[in-house]
Amino acid sequence: MSAPNLRDRYLQDSINTASPARLLIMLYDRLILDLMHGEEALRNEDRVLANEKITHAQEIVLELRVTLDVDAWEGAPGLASLYGFILTELIGANIKRDADRVASCRTLLEPLRDAWRDAASAST
């Protein structure tokens, strides 16, 4: 098996065997990475790459929003609203080519990712 195929298989196996908490953290990690790359691409005026990264970030936010059980805990509706705000900001940032809006979204999401990571490690 070739190196790229082995890598793809490893990644797929990692996803398939991850706990729900680990999957959530993986999504947040990828979301933050996409936002960093999207912001950088906008600042470098690479519109194609920026669109690709910001659009992928939007897809992740949508996935986080639709899988959120708003009845599971009292903070869930607020988190759903935050996801809605982030999505609106990313769409606007992509249209207006506004790297600062992308950076603001990342600034909002990084502490949330870190909190999920801390919660997951505390429960293990």
Side-chain angles (χ1 to χ4, degrees), residues 14-33 60-69 73 79 83 109-121 123:
S14 295
I15 292 167
N16 290 340
T17 59
S19 68
R22 181 68 191 129
L23 285 173
L24 179 65
I25 294 165
M26 291 167 78
L27 277 173
Y28 269 96
D29 284 343
R30 180 56 194 260
L31 174 57
I32 300 299
L33 184 65
I60 293 172
V61 173
L62 278 172
E63 183 66 22
L64 290 168
R65 174 57 189 97
V66 299
T67 58
L68 178 63
D69 181 357
W73 56 288
L79 184 56
Y83 289 152
L109 290 166
E110 285 175 333
L112 191 53
R113 184 244 350 241
D114 296 341
W116 286 120
R117 181 177 287 139
D118 292 346
S121 36
S123 68

Side-chain angles (χ1 to χ4, degrees), residues 3-17:
N5 289 343
L6 286 172
R7 180 182 170 276
D8 290 344
R9 172 103 188 255
Y10 172 78
L11 290 174
Q12 190 60 50
D13 288 348
S14 295
I15 292 167
N16 290 340
T17 59

Side-chain angles (χ1 to χ4, degrees), residues 30-118:
R30 180 56 194 260
L31 174 57
I32 300 299
L33 184 65
D34 284 342
L35 294 175
M36 287 176 13
H37 289 157
E39 176 189 349
E40 182 180 342
L42 284 174
R43 295 196 192 285
N44 292 329
E45 298 182 14
D46 185 344
R47 179 73 177 129
V48 172
L49 181 61
N51 181 62
E52 176 186 317
K53 296 302 180 180
I54 294 170
T55 301
H56 191 253
Q58 291 170 24
E59 292 170 2
I60 293 172
V61 173
L62 278 172
E63 183 66 22
L64 290 168
R65 174 57 189 97
V66 299
T67 58
L68 178 63
D69 181 357
V70 293
D71 298 322
W73 56 288
E74 67 183 41
L79 184 56
S81 293
L82 177 64
Y83 289 152
F85 173 77
I86 295 289
L87 187 58
T88 300
E89 284 298 293
L90 291 177
I91 292 168
N94 205 8
I95 291 169
K96 301 279 188 184
R97 301 177 187 177
D98 188 342
D100 291 337
R101 281 173 87 173
V102 176
S104 294
C105 291
R106 186 171 45 83
T107 299
L108 288 171
L109 290 166
E110 285 175 333
L112 191 53
R113 184 244 350 241
D114 296 341
W116 286 120
R117 181 177 287 139
D118 292 346

